[in-house]
Amino acid sequence: MDKLFLKKINAGLSQSLAEGGLTEPTEVQKETFGTIKSGADCVIAAPEGEGKTTAIVITVIQKLEKAFQQSPRALVIVEDKAKVLEMQQLFTDYGRHTDLRVYGVYEQGDIDYDKNQISAGIDVLIGTPGRLNDMFGSAGYDVNQLKMFIVDDTETLLKNRLEPKIARLSNSIVKTQRIFFTDIISERVELLADRIMVEPLFFEFDDFDGDDNQDDY
């Protein structure tokens, strides 16, 4: 391989991205990669189609690298079942050179089956706010192992009045990196960031004419 997808990215991850047809990062991915790697809390806003979902997958794989112990180390909160499945597929596509265990939960699934799968050991848990609250409220998961708490489509979730569930999940975790991805930094997003994050950094990207090879991801 001639070059890495991003500077200091894991070689296996860069290879997976190249195999998936991604050879150049979007502006969002390039400008936020180092900050997310550093462990800082941050809010990242960009229009749809600028690679936010792929940025989540890339940075989680980069930070976790490989399977480790039993408890999840990254929690990704998304809007609905369709988004859970979409993100799971991206982890499959771009995590093919790692053994990270990824699992997704949503309201339409069997909660007892989900609990058993998670108890068997996973690294990344993707889920909707409602199902994650139900699961964390009724099972004793070790949230102290969480390194990343990520909310995708944050403004949409807050507009749908899901802030209490997101805050409740966050409050159950003593220390972790918290990251919001959103289309816009609304007052709701800013207030929640100030409430649950530690000195968050804010990134805002306008729509621009760049490499369009990532469609809506």
Side-chain angles (χ1 to χ4, degrees), residues 32 35-37 39-44 51-64 72-79 83-84 87 91 123-129 132 136 146-155 157 165-167 169-170 173 175-182 192 196-197:
T32 64
T35 298
I36 296 175
K37 272 183 59 178
D41 289 356
C42 52
V43 178
I44 299 163
K52 298 192 295 295
T53 302
T54 298
I56 292 173
V57 175
I58 289 172
T59 51
V60 170
I61 294 173
Q62 172 75 21
K63 289 199 72 170
L64 302 191
R73 291 176 291 142
L75 182 65
V76 185
I77 302 172
V78 299
E79 182 180 1
K83 194 72 174 185
V84 172
M87 194 166 290
F91 271 105
D123 301 288
V124 183
L125 179 58
I126 308 164
T128 58
L132 290 172
F136 276 73
L146 279 172
K147 295 181 177 295
M148 305 178 81
F149 178 94
I150 301 171
V151 183
D152 195 18
D153 295 321
T154 307
E155 166 61 15
L157 294 178
K165 293 184 177 181
I166 296 170
L169 286 167
S170 177
I173 306 163
K175 185 178 180 181
T176 189
Q177 180 185 23
R178 292 171 171 85
I179 308 168
F180 289 170
F181 285 84
T182 181
L192 183 59
I196 71 173
M197 293 182 176

Side-chain angles (χ1 to χ4, degrees), residues 66-175:
K66 59 185 179 180
F68 182 73
Q69 295 186 351
Q70 296 293 110
S71 300
R73 291 176 291 142
L75 182 65
V76 185
I77 302 172
V78 299
E79 182 180 1
D80 53 24
K81 175 182 176 180
K83 194 72 174 185
V84 172
L85 297 177
E86 173 191 310
M87 194 166 290
Q88 280 186 289
Q89 185 58 53
L90 287 177
F91 271 105
T92 298
D93 293 341
Y94 303 141
R96 65 187 65 178
H97 294 292
T98 179
D99 61 352
L100 285 174
R101 301 156 298 176
V102 180
Y103 193 73
V105 299
Y106 39 83
E107 281 75 6
Q108 297 89 336
D110 183 325
I111 192 168
D112 291 325
Y113 178 81
D114 289 340
K115 289 178 181 178
N116 289 335
Q117 293 298 306
I118 294 169
S119 297
I122 63 169
D123 301 288
V124 183
L125 179 58
I126 308 164
T128 58
R131 178 46 60 97
L132 290 172
N133 266 270
D134 291 342
M135 297 188 69
F136 276 73
S138 59
Y141 297 116
D142 181 9
V143 296
N144 294 320
Q145 300 301 317
L146 279 172
K147 295 181 177 295
M148 305 178 81
F149 178 94
I150 301 171
V151 183
D152 195 18
D153 295 321
T154 307
E155 166 61 15
T156 299
L157 294 178
L158 298 187
K159 191 161 54 177
N160 291 335
R161 301 184 178 181
L162 290 166
E163 177 182 341
K165 293 184 177 181
I166 296 170
R168 192 176 303 123
L169 286 167
S170 177
N171 291 340
S172 69
I173 306 163
V174 176
K175 185 178 180 181

